[in-house]
Amino acid sequence: DRSWGAINVPGAWSSQGRAEVDEGWYRRTLTLPSEFLSGVELGLRVGEVWTSYTVFANGEPLTPLEGHAAGEYDRRAIFPLKVTEPSVTLAFHVVRRQPNAASEGGITSAPFEIGALTEMIRRDTLEDVPRLVMGAVFVLIGITHILIYRRRQGLDEYLWFGAGAMVMGGYTLLRTQYRFVLPFSFTAMKEAEYFLLFLLPVIFLVFTRRFVEQGISRALKIYLLAQVALGLFVSLTPGLEYNVKSLTLWYLFIVPGIGLIGTTLVRAHRAGRSETRPIFFGVSMAVLSFLVDILISARVLSWPAFISPFGFAWLMVSISKALADRFSNVYQNAEALRAEFERRVEERTIELER
């Protein structure tokens, strides 16, 4: 074993001076605690591995509980582990293949743990439940606001908020492991995920402009259409190589969009639109969560799960409050006008009776 080089797990090859490596072996000998040898059925739980791999325990290949096709790099897996001795040597044969040969490589994300098989299954099942629930709630909220728009088609902000909620709901669901129960290929679901990612900032920028009753300039339309076109391009081209490479462009695209959303809300607030304040804080939390996700994607943070759905949940609550405040203000103004109208009618009636 002294001839083997050391490497961090989890950790991408590209971030550990091995960017040109396309194939590698991992090996680690572990001493299991005595309680693991008392008839407990064990399991090995593995996170992201870019892009294809085979696992061996004491030289014997392991088979995952569920089908795990080559190239499904962000699909977690659980391997039943049968051992009779305290010492077990785990080996991973990892191959970086297209469509992701341009980046990553290796065992890139947690979890990486051994335990009772039933406990491994329980953890894996429950880990994505909060995101699954939030994704479903986002979709339902989106449908509700679109139905409101259908009844009152002048309320454009409800349409764009509803569309944004549905897109974020779809994106959130596609980031969970539960997506593998759907009858679609891994590549097709990844293409859809990337397209929704490109669509999100476009929708919320338009929503912000509609909410503060500002138009969309020709330059802004070109900027938005360019982002949609890029999303269509990367999602319609065969394979996923362009999807992975396009993330840098996506980062560059959203920076001016975030700045424009912030300045639009600040100017509207200064002009007396108090209902924009909660949206500003909601946007700030959503942006912060996406920044954390970017750091996770870049392997700067080794967190096992993405948090952008939680940031978007904060944004959704903030926008809902702003829309409720606007409705309340409109209702109060209508009540004030009604009361003023009734007062004038009463005064005129008294004058006529004289």
Side-chain angles (χ1 to χ4, degrees):
D1 286 350
R2 292 181 180 178
S3 61
W4 288 59
I7 192 169
N8 293 325
V9 175
W13 292 342
S14 57
S15 63
Q16 300 188 67
R18 295 173 171 85
E20 304 302 321
V21 173
D22 290 328
E23 183 177 2
W25 284 85
Y26 294 77
R27 188 170 65 178
R28 180 71 180 270
T29 299
L30 306 172
T31 300
L32 302 179
S34 57
E35 58 266 24
F36 280 9
L37 305 174
S38 57
V40 177
E41 190 174 7
L42 300 179
L44 170 66
R45 186 165 173 246
V46 181
E48 292 185 12
V49 181
W50 285 55
T51 54
S52 305
Y53 67 103
T54 306
V55 186
F56 301 85
N58 293 331
E60 297 295 327
L62 302 181
T63 303
L65 289 178
E66 297 179 355
H68 194 287
E72 295 180 347
Y73 55 86
D74 66 348
R75 184 175 188 175
R76 296 194 301 266
I78 299 176
F79 298 85
L81 185 63
K82 296 180 180 180
V83 295
T84 57
E85 301 293 332
S87 179
V88 57
T89 298
L90 296 177
F92 282 70
H93 179 216
V94 181
V95 179
R96 177 168 55 179
R97 294 194 176 99
Q98 293 290 351
N100 306 298
S103 62
E104 298 292 336
I107 303 173
T108 57
S109 180
F112 188 72
E113 57 185 351
I114 295 175
L117 182 60
T118 54
E119 175 64 14
M120 295 295 98
I121 295 173
R122 186 190 70 84
R123 288 188 187 182
D124 207 61
T125 302
L126 297 179
E127 187 169 303
D128 280 343
V129 167
R131 292 165 185 79
L132 178 67
V133 172
M134 281 191 292
V137 171
F138 294 162
V139 172
L140 290 175
I141 291 176
I143 293 173
T144 301
H145 283 78
I146 290 176
L147 291 176
I148 293 173
Y149 170 76
R150 287 192 63 187
R151 295 179 64 88
R152 296 291 302 274
Q153 295 195 7
L155 302 175
D156 287 353
E157 61 270 28
Y158 282 82
L159 170 65
W160 289 101
F161 175 57
M166 291 188 67
V167 168
M168 187 60 197
Y171 176 77
T172 300
L173 293 172
L174 288 173
R175 293 306 305 267
T176 70
Q177 297 292 302
Y178 289 100
R179 72 185 186 273
F180 292 108
V181 304
L182 300 175
F184 305 109
S185 68
F186 175 81
T187 300
M189 290 188 288
K190 272 295 172 184
E191 300 281 19
E193 175 192 323
Y194 274 82
F195 178 67
L196 296 180
L197 181 64
F198 275 90
L199 206 56
L200 266 175
V202 174
I203 291 177
F204 280 102
L205 182 51
V206 175
F207 163 78
T208 303
R209 304 291 287 186
R210 296 301 187 196
F211 185 81
V212 300
E213 299 174 356
Q214 291 186 7
I216 299 177
S217 65
R218 184 176 181 181
L220 182 56
K221 286 180 181 178
I222 294 174
Y223 164 77
L224 296 175
L225 289 174
Q227 188 157 341
V228 173
L230 182 59
L232 285 172
F233 172 76
V234 300
S235 60
L236 294 178
T237 50
L240 297 176
E241 184 174 1
Y242 287 108
N243 300 58
V244 177
K245 291 179 177 179
S246 69
L247 284 178
T248 301
L249 285 176
W250 184 78
Y251 300 151
L252 295 176
F253 258 111
I254 65 171
V255 170
I258 293 172
L260 184 56
I261 290 175
T263 55
T264 299
L265 293 172
V266 170
R267 288 175 180 174
H269 181 69
R270 289 178 177 176
R273 303 288 295 273
S274 60
E275 69 271 22
T276 59
R277 177 181 291 182
I279 297 182
F280 180 82
F281 286 111
V283 168
S284 300
M285 293 302 298
V287 170
L288 180 61
S289 68
F290 271 108
L291 288 176
V292 172
D293 279 3
I294 290 172
L295 294 177
I296 295 174
S297 297
R299 311 303 173 189
V300 176
L301 296 177
S302 58
W303 295 3
F306 290 84
I307 68 168
S308 54
F310 298 95
F312 185 78
W314 188 299
L315 174 61
M316 184 167 294
V317 171
S318 301
I319 293 178
S320 298
K321 183 181 185 306
L323 291 174
D325 289 345
R326 169 171 287 186
F327 178 82
S328 178
N329 291 336
V330 170
Y331 179 79
Q332 290 175 2
N333 291 336
E335 283 294 300
L337 289 173
R338 183 186 64 79
E340 177 65 15
F341 179 75
E342 290 179 350
R343 183 185 65 79
R344 291 188 178 185
V345 169
E346 184 177 355
E347 290 178 352
R348 184 59 177 166
T349 302
I350 294 175
E351 291 178 359
L352 292 174
E353 288 178 351
R354 290 178 181 173

